[in-house]
Amino acid sequence: MSVEPRHDGPAGGGAPALAVFYRRAAGLNRETDPRENTLHVDDRWVLTGRRTFGFGRAPAGVDIAVKLVDDSGTQDPAVPRLAGRIAAPDGRWTLTNHATGKTKIYLTAPGLYREIIKDSPGEVLVRTWQMVAIRASGGDIEHRFTLVIGGPGAGAGAVHAANMAGLWETGAPTTSSVGAPAWSHGDRRTLAAYCYPELHGLPPRVRERGAQTLLLLDRELTEASRKWLEKQLGRLRKDASARLGVDLQGERGTPEFIEYILANRGLLMDALRELDSRPTRKLQR
């Protein structure tokens, strides 16, 4: 959906501009191509530090109020009236949870994960790029806001540009402390597909990672394909285990294996861009 950016007025307020991209990510309980919700947006704004930005079922007390809706297009009853608020009172963009109940707001990016609850202090947005998400009941919908401080522009391809910027976040490691692995082009595509959610900073959720990896690699969900992927990942896990001196095989080693891949995420930029350039498709069983 192509949406023209909304501007909140002339620059001011002492804070750099903040680009906000909104996506109502739906169908998350079904195995669909994650690129559908990663690379498309439903609305966008370009803010300066003079305004406050709020989202929820019926937000009030903010300058820019984003009403979150459910499948029927009506107010989402699963979210509070005012769930979250973004403002720059002291020249730094800050996220606060204004829910009166137990609603959590997730702040994520590659290598970043925060759960913001109503008692949490204001979370200063220190990264150039991050995602803010709140879940509807049942887990089938996430309301996602991609926040880019100081750019990029809100034209075509801006969401992808923001995601790419996240790979090269200032101060973020791009190689592991034991040296960069000698991944082939095929290895990089496989790992970029395997860690696609983490590389795009998506909020954590239960995923059928193997099937999603094959879908992103444009391979059919056959037993032969699953065995091929298992063999490739086994070889890459073995190499990572040797480099780190830790056994990363099997499910127990998966979290550390993913951390290792993310530590070397700068090597996967071209492979991720290649995956994102392909058409999205449904996962067939």
Side-chain angles (χ1 to χ4, degrees):
M1 179 176 180
S2 177
V3 183
E4 289 300 316
R6 307 180 191 182
H7 295 265
D8 72 346
L18 177 69
V20 182
F21 306 91
Y22 170 69
R23 176 68 178 181
R24 181 178 171 277
L28 299 179
N29 288 337
R30 300 182 296 277
E31 291 289 353
T32 57
D33 193 323
R35 291 171 295 190
E36 179 66 27
N37 287 313
T38 302
L39 303 177
H40 298 88
V41 298
D42 299 317
D43 213 337
R44 63 192 80 188
W45 302 262
V46 178
L47 314 177
T48 62
R50 293 180 175 177
R51 298 288 184 94
T52 54
F53 183 91
F55 53 91
R57 184 176 73 253
V62 293
D63 299 311
I64 302 172
V66 180
K67 296 181 180 180
L68 305 179
V69 301
D70 60 17
D71 280 325
S72 66
T74 59
Q75 295 177 348
D76 191 336
V79 300
R81 290 179 60 86
L82 176 62
R85 184 175 182 270
I86 300 171
D90 60 356
R92 299 182 300 172
W93 290 106
T94 303
L95 168 69
T96 52
N97 185 329
H98 282 255
T100 56
K102 297 181 180 179
T103 300
K104 293 180 180 179
I105 297 175
Y106 299 90
L107 177 66
T108 59
L112 170 68
Y113 173 71
R114 296 273 195 281
E115 290 185 3
I116 314 298
I117 61 176
K118 69 183 181 70
D119 297 321
S120 299
E123 184 81 22
V124 177
L125 305 179
V126 297
R127 292 209 176 192
T128 301
W129 166 82
Q130 53 253 296
M131 179 181 292
V132 171
I134 180 172
R135 291 174 179 165
S137 61
D140 197 43
I141 297 173
E142 282 179 353
H143 301 283
R144 298 175 179 173
F145 297 87
T146 299
L147 311 178
V148 186
I149 298 175
V159 173
H160 185 264
N163 290 332
M164 291 297 100
L167 288 175
W168 294 99
E169 185 68 50
T170 302
T174 55
T175 58
S176 68
S177 59
V178 293
W183 290 330
S184 68
H185 176 69
D187 291 341
R188 296 182 188 196
R189 289 188 74 252
T190 298
L191 292 173
Y194 184 73
C195 286
Y196 186 92
E198 291 81 10
L199 288 170
H200 276 289
L202 302 183
R205 60 181 298 111
V206 176
R207 294 179 172 94
E208 190 180 349
R209 193 176 292 272
Q212 191 171 91
T213 300
L214 291 172
L215 180 148
L216 289 165
L217 294 175
D218 205 26
R219 287 178 171 265
E220 298 300 323
L221 295 184
T222 63
E223 187 62 25
S225 293
R226 292 181 184 275
K227 288 183 177 180
W228 171 85
L229 179 61
E230 182 178 345
K231 180 178 180 180
Q232 299 306 310
L233 291 174
R235 173 176 56 81
L236 292 165
R237 283 176 182 264
K238 183 177 180 180
D239 178 71
S241 297
R243 288 176 175 273
L244 298 179
V246 180
D247 184 7
L248 302 182
Q249 299 292 340
E251 286 302 313
R252 291 183 60 184
T254 295
E256 288 185 77
F257 182 53
I258 292 174
E259 286 183 13
Y260 170 75
I261 296 169
L262 291 179
N264 291 281
R265 61 184 177 269
L267 301 176
L268 303 178
M269 185 176 182
D270 289 342
L272 188 61
R273 182 185 292 113
E274 182 179 332
L275 293 179
D276 282 339
S277 68
R278 300 183 65 83
T280 59
R281 65 188 180 93
K282 300 293 183 181
L283 181 60
Q284 302 297 326
R285 293 187 177 276

